[in-house]
Amino acid sequence: MKIVGLLLGQALRYLVYTLVHVFIISRLVLFDAGWCFFYLGFVLFLPLGTPVVVQLLLAFGMGLTMDIFYDTGGLHAAAAVMLAFVRPAVLRLLRPRDGYDAVDAVNVHFMGPAWFLTYLGVLVLVHHLAFFLLELGSFRHFGFTLEKVGASWAFTCVALLIVQLLFFPVRRNRQ
């Protein structure tokens, strides 16, 4: 019964991140060079105990959904899978001395702002570099691509930090 609730909760998160990104956030552009990849919150904020294979499949599903909506031919899926592939390594690098608790979640309130901003910044940067370099297909306009990466990185990080501060619980759910 607990698993069904967890699956329904994740399905609802998937739907919310997809709908908010497609119908609201995708229309916002920062300085004609930065886009908010809000849907990344679905992958970034998965529970810490999520198996790697499940993370990769969920990232692929979310990326493929974005590719279908934006007709981007697999760019979102590839970059999202890259993010999910690197996520466990980043979590290992940022692991607290005592390790993570089984009930820990990616949460700015639990882990602290320094941990969270490092986690968010590194993974969003990995995603954006993969996405924009794949989109470019060469190193011909590398300066403009780096400008797009930087503006999009800042926009995405600020948006996901706001989501964390507003919608994620301040207290731990002890079981």
Side-chain angles (χ1 to χ4, degrees):
M1 197 61 152
K2 196 175 202 180
I3 300 254
V4 172
L6 183 65
L7 290 174
L8 287 176
Q10 293 303 321
L12 181 63
R13 283 184 61 240
Y14 178 87
L15 190 63
V16 167
Y17 276 105
T18 300
L19 293 177
V20 168
H21 180 83
V22 169
F23 293 114
I24 299 171
I25 302 294
S26 66
R27 290 167 176 40
L28 303 176
V29 179
L30 183 68
F31 306 124
D32 287 331
W35 293 267
C36 182
F37 291 82
F38 184 76
Y39 71 90
L40 294 180
F42 175 73
V43 178
L44 290 169
F45 305 149
L46 284 170
L48 295 176
T50 306
V52 176
V53 173
V54 174
Q55 290 179 48
L56 292 169
L57 290 172
L58 290 173
F60 178 74
M62 179 57 86
L64 186 62
T65 302
M66 293 301 121
D67 286 327
I68 290 168
F69 276 105
Y70 299 112
D71 194 25
T72 49
L75 285 175
H76 288 281
V81 168
M82 173 66 95
L83 177 139
F85 180 76
V86 173
R87 183 178 185 250
V90 172
L91 286 172
R92 274 193 303 278
L93 287 173
L94 297 175
R95 182 183 345 215
R97 183 182 325 204
D98 300 332
Y100 298 112
D101 290 339
V103 295
D104 277 347
V106 175
N107 189 316
V108 68
H109 303 293
F110 302 163
M111 302 300 192
W115 183 96
F116 181 79
L117 291 174
T118 303
Y119 168 83
L120 184 66
V122 168
L123 288 175
V124 170
L125 183 63
V126 165
H127 173 273
H128 286 16
L129 283 171
F131 181 85
F132 288 113
L133 288 174
L134 285 171
E135 177 189 51
L136 183 62
S138 73
F139 291 107
R140 177 179 267 163
H141 303 286
F142 193 67
F144 182 60
T145 299
L146 286 181
E147 179 184 332
K148 288 180 1 182
V149 168
S152 298
W153 176 82
F155 195 4
T156 303
C157 286
V158 168
L160 293 177
L161 179 62
I162 290 170
V163 166
Q164 276 281 318
L165 293 173
L166 291 178
F167 298 109
F168 279 68
V170 177
R171 296 183 207 198
R172 287 182 193 255
N173 293 331
R174 291 289 177 190
Q175 297 181 11

